Amino acid sequence: MTSIVFYSRTDDPAPWREIFARELPHLAFRVDPDIGDPAEVHYTLVWKPPAGWHGQFPHLRAILSLGAGVDALLTDASLPSHVPVVRLLDGGLGRQMAEYAAYGVLHFHRRMHEYAARQRTGTWEMLEPRSTESCVVGVMGLGVLGVQAVRLIDALGFPVIGWSRTPKDLGAVETFSGAPGLDAFLARTRVLVNFLPLTPQTSGILDRRLFARLPRGSYLVNVARGGHLVEPDLLAALDDGQIDGALLDVFGSEPLPPDHPFWQHPKIVVTPHVAGVTLADEAAAQIIANVRRLENGEAPVGIVDRAAGY
Ligand code: NAP
Ligand code: GLV
């Protein structure tokens, strides 16, 4: 019997098992480490399997990602090159991520980080309010998820600008692209929101040189990947006031180690990689449709461009 194997240490397989049993009853749904006969495995449904894990399936037809970002899969040099990697396109993540980004913008714009510090010392002090128009939000990465954040933040009345690899037309939202557009984009940005995929080109992009190109006292919201951020550079930029606060959902090492300086830093808010969580109810329809396409000999939707890395 043909099978699909589920691997994730953070997602519950139970709802997926139920949906697959209902929608594709001819496929055996297996959960690692109970993989059955590896020769029967045609599909995997995965989040961060260990390097080399896919090598055990000789008849694999597709690797289906439980997430939107596939950097952890693509850095596995042993991933079979002939098998398509298919990622999640929104699947409910867009709305969650947009909410998180909008929350970050409001948090810093309304100086909640500064009021939180005053609350800890019982200090009643009104800080100077700032106009919404003066708070330009710059979104890096205008793909499936970044665009939804742009739309929500725009709807809240903030001036929004965006930056991507190739030029984009987002109507009234001003956009910039590529290395030549980065300076102008950063010079205008007050709250920088990162929605980039982690690729060799974007790794470490949030570094000292980039922070220096932002207006003094800017804010950072990183919802993309920890590998984008050079952590010591952020600490230095916070210490000297170039960056005035950061909301971070993703980290170079996850879980964030208990002794990491980010935990106690007064200008950093940490969340445990929850900006966008894959929910079976919202994401399964897309994955089921892709398996049906594959079973009919059609191409799935959301195939990753391995050369581009996203
Ligand atoms: P996507 O649709 O592939 O969009 C990626 C965007 O980044 C595109 O606009 C792309 O430009 C741009 N880009 C890529 N390389 C670039 C470069 N070198 N310079 C400038 N722009 C570049 O990705 P998505 O579905 O929106 O997802 C974005 C990321 O969010 C994922 O990769 C993942 O890391 C992260 N994520 C995080 C969570 C969480 O819970 N924290 C949840 C889901 C996703 P073009 O449009 O020109 O190609
Ligand atoms: C989560 O980080 C995802 O990429 O879906």
Side-chain angles (χ1 to χ4, degrees):
M1 189 182 191
T2 304
S3 66
I4 179 162
V5 177
F6 180 98
Y7 183 104
S8 172
R9 294 296 177 252
T10 49
D11 301 86
D12 179 5
W16 293 95
R17 184 192 292 286
E18 201 183 303
I19 293 166
F20 269 85
R22 188 177 66 231
E23 300 293 332
L24 296 166
H26 65 284
L27 267 189
F29 185 88
R30 297 190 169 278
V31 179
D32 181 90
D34 173 25
I35 62 167
D37 180 355
E40 292 182 346
V41 177
H42 285 188
Y43 312 103
T44 59
L45 180 56
V46 294
W47 180 246
K48 292 191 178 171
W53 183 81
H54 277 98
Q56 62 189 315
F57 309 120
H59 301 132
L60 203 56
R61 292 187 189 164
I63 297 166
L64 308 168
S65 170
L66 279 162
V70 288
D71 44 289
L73 280 168
L74 300 192
T75 49
D76 177 359
S78 67
L79 205 69
S81 55
H82 63 285
V83 179
V85 175
V86 185
R87 74 186 191 94
L88 213 56
L89 298 179
D90 188 349
L93 296 174
R95 188 191 181 101
Q96 295 176 51
M97 301 279 285
E99 284 172 2
Y100 187 102
Y103 167 77
V105 170
L106 291 168
H107 180 85
F108 291 121
H109 171 60
R110 296 307 305 259
R111 310 183 77 157
M112 291 302 167
H113 57 309
E114 295 169 86
Y115 287 120
R118 281 158 181 75
Q119 183 170 348
R120 284 192 288 274
T121 56
T123 307
W124 180 277
E125 183 190 3
M126 287 174 74
L127 300 171
E128 192 67 26
R130 301 177 293 207
S131 74
T132 307
E133 294 71 38
S134 69
C135 183
V136 178
V137 180
V139 177
M140 303 177 90
L142 302 173
V144 175
L145 304 177
V147 162
Q148 295 187 61
V150 166
R151 295 294 179 218
L152 182 57
I153 294 163
D154 180 49
L156 289 171
F158 290 92
V160 194
I161 57 178
W163 182 71
S164 53
R165 189 172 59 84
T166 57
K168 294 273 173 297
D169 180 0
L170 296 186
V173 172
E174 193 177 352
T175 57
F176 302 81
S177 61
L182 189 55
D183 265 339
F185 166 80
L186 293 172
R188 297 257 307 280
T189 293
R190 189 75 181 172
V191 183
L192 183 66
V193 185
N194 178 31
F195 269 91
L196 292 169
L198 185 62
T199 68
Q201 288 71 39
T202 64
S203 176
I205 191 168
L206 302 175
D207 67 357
R208 184 174 41 85
R209 284 164 305 167
L210 181 140
F211 297 145
R213 290 144 86 187
L214 290 165
R216 190 160 179 81
S218 295
Y219 306 105
L220 173 68
V221 178
N222 189 16
V223 295
R225 286 290 184 264
H228 290 126
L229 178 64
V230 179
E231 294 182 350
D233 288 5
L234 174 63
L235 290 170
L238 286 165
D239 285 350
D240 85 0
Q242 177 60 16
I243 302 285
D244 198 38
L247 170 60
L248 307 175
D249 186 53
V250 285
F251 304 90
S253 175
E254 295 182 8
L256 190 65
D259 58 349
H260 196 286
F262 284 178
W263 281 117
Q264 303 303 334
H265 199 291
K267 292 188 172 179
I268 294 180
V269 179
V270 167
T271 55
H273 202 142
V274 290
V277 176
T278 301
L279 301 174
D281 279 354
E282 297 184 349
Q286 174 181 142
I287 289 168
I288 296 286
N290 269 338
V291 175
R292 290 208 173 103
R293 286 187 188 100
L294 286 154
E295 297 275 84
N296 292 332
E298 298 161 26
V301 176
I303 296 181
V304 171
D305 176 349
R306 289 221 208 172
Y310 67 102

